[in-house]
Amino acid sequence: MAGPLSGTVSERVAGLRPRPAGPVLSGTLRLAGLLARRALLLAVLLVTVFVAVELLPGDAANATSERGESAADLARRRELLGLDRPVLTRFWEWMTGLPTGDFGTSARGEPIADILSKPLPNTLLLGGLALLVTLAVSLALGCWAALKPGGATDRAVSATATGILALPEFVVAVALVLVFALWTDLLPAVTLTDADGTPASWRMLILPVLALAIPQIGWNVRIVRAALADEAKAPHVESAVIDGLPRHRVFTHHLLPGALPTVAAGIATSTGMLLGGAVVVETIFNYPGIGSVLAGAVTDRDGPLVAGVVAVTGAVITGVLLLADLVRSWASGGRI
């Protein structure tokens, strides 16, 4: 009859070892640690923004003052805005309001949450559409080039992607306006808004979306092509080819899934580039997004408003990066 000491020594010793945490608990802890790192990075970024605005010449009291105000009026305005207190003290008070959704008050006395409530959805719409276009076109071109490595298509796609990658958003935007608005009159060059502050027509989104997406398409086509080339050398892919599986099945079941983590990382990185480039593109096309809000906040030396813009865009970017991390974790078997 088997007793508690039956079995080999290694089996008995293994039975005495503490059981590892379950996969769900382990994954939750890794996810919590990842969120903490992302939150810390965002906090450091916000501190940097506050200090950078503080180092600009002048202050919010001067920038928002009316002509003819006396020195006493400016002093009262500085006291009202809290500019007489240390910058880190003001930053801490601003940060403690974030968990409740309180972004503070701008230098002109308006609640920052109200200022951002209309332009932020417009910017997220613009960036989201540009991200979808970037993902679809990059995957299509990258996969097309990878089907015949070293061929004419591969060389043409790679060369074109490299050329596009070197173009900044404002150059692409100006070229699109020249071709599609001024020369051919196919699309509007500026964005008109309805009473609710949204673009009056979907056609007004086309040029801003393309101006944002085209440079990122160049970047991500190269990433997709390189990831597929690296994955093609993997043993399981070579085995599938040797086994005589159809090319499309090798591509969809072996090649593309292995390249997915790298592709996800590239797309996540493009999110930050898209939201950053939106400031320039929105200005060129008169698009009603947070680009104009940010430009006005810097002009007013309005640290809380600049930090509010950075906070909401940083939260969006952090969420996309977290999603990319989860995709890489899923593709690599649960390792974050």
Side-chain angles (χ1 to χ4, degrees):
M1 180 177 179
L5 297 181
S6 62
T8 64
V9 174
S10 60
E11 290 172 343
R12 294 199 303 270
V13 173
L16 297 176
R17 292 173 183 165
R19 298 289 183 182
V24 175
L25 177 61
S26 178
T28 302
L29 292 176
R30 289 195 297 268
L31 180 59
L34 183 60
L35 282 172
R37 293 195 297 272
R38 300 290 190 201
L40 178 60
L41 180 61
L42 182 57
V44 172
L45 176 62
L46 291 174
V47 172
T48 304
V49 167
F50 248 84
V51 174
V53 174
E54 188 74 12
L55 294 177
L56 292 174
D59 59 19
N62 278 317
T64 59
S65 63
E66 300 293 337
R67 180 175 298 179
E69 286 192 4
S70 63
D73 293 332
L74 288 177
R76 284 193 295 270
R77 185 187 294 272
R78 287 192 181 92
E79 183 178 358
L80 181 63
L81 295 175
L83 300 177
D84 55 337
R85 292 175 294 164
V87 61
L88 292 182
T89 301
R90 285 182 276 132
F91 173 74
W92 176 251
E93 291 179 354
W94 182 81
M95 281 287 290
T96 54
L98 288 183
T100 63
D102 181 11
F103 287 86
T105 304
S106 73
R108 298 185 181 275
E110 302 174 73
I112 293 176
D114 293 344
I115 296 175
L116 298 178
S117 61
K118 287 186 178 179
L120 178 61
N122 292 337
T123 295
L124 294 180
L125 173 64
L126 180 64
L129 291 175
L131 187 64
L132 290 176
V133 171
T134 299
L135 177 60
V137 178
S138 299
L139 280 175
L141 292 179
C143 294
W144 186 29
L147 287 175
K148 295 182 179 180
T153 300
D154 187 13
R155 294 195 300 270
V157 169
S158 298
T160 303
T162 302
I164 290 175
L165 177 60
L167 298 175
E169 287 86 355
F170 74 89
V171 173
V172 177
V174 171
L176 291 173
V177 169
L178 285 174
V179 175
F180 293 101
L182 298 181
W183 293 350
T184 62
D185 197 25
L186 293 176
L187 295 170
V190 295
T191 307
L192 303 178
T193 58
D194 290 328
D196 59 356
T198 59
S201 170
W202 63 268
R203 297 177 68 249
M204 297 176 182
L205 288 167
I206 296 177
L207 292 185
V209 167
L210 291 178
L212 280 176
I214 286 174
Q216 296 308 311
I217 288 172
W219 162 263
N220 283 281
V221 165
R222 291 176 59 85
I223 290 179
V224 172
R225 177 66 186 89
L228 291 173
D230 290 341
E231 191 64 21
K233 303 173 185 177
H236 69 92
V237 175
E238 294 179 349
S239 298
V241 173
I242 293 173
D243 289 342
L245 292 179
R247 176 180 294 183
H248 70 275
R249 184 171 180 82
V250 173
F251 191 85
T252 57
H253 288 70
H254 297 273
L255 194 57
L256 192 56
L260 185 60
T262 304
V263 174
I267 291 295
T269 304
S270 290
T271 304
M273 303 298 293
L274 288 171
L275 292 178
V279 175
V280 176
V281 171
E282 287 175 358
T283 302
I284 294 175
F285 291 100
N286 193 36
Y287 186 83
I290 60 173
S292 58
V293 174
L294 182 60
V298 173
T299 301
D300 290 344
R301 308 296 188 266
D302 195 342
L305 183 52
V306 174
V309 173
V310 173
V312 294
T313 55
V316 172
I317 295 171
T318 299
V320 175
L321 290 174
L322 178 61
L323 181 61
D325 290 331
L326 294 176
V327 170
R328 292 201 300 269
S329 173
W330 168 79
S332 60
R335 296 186 300 274
I336 295 181

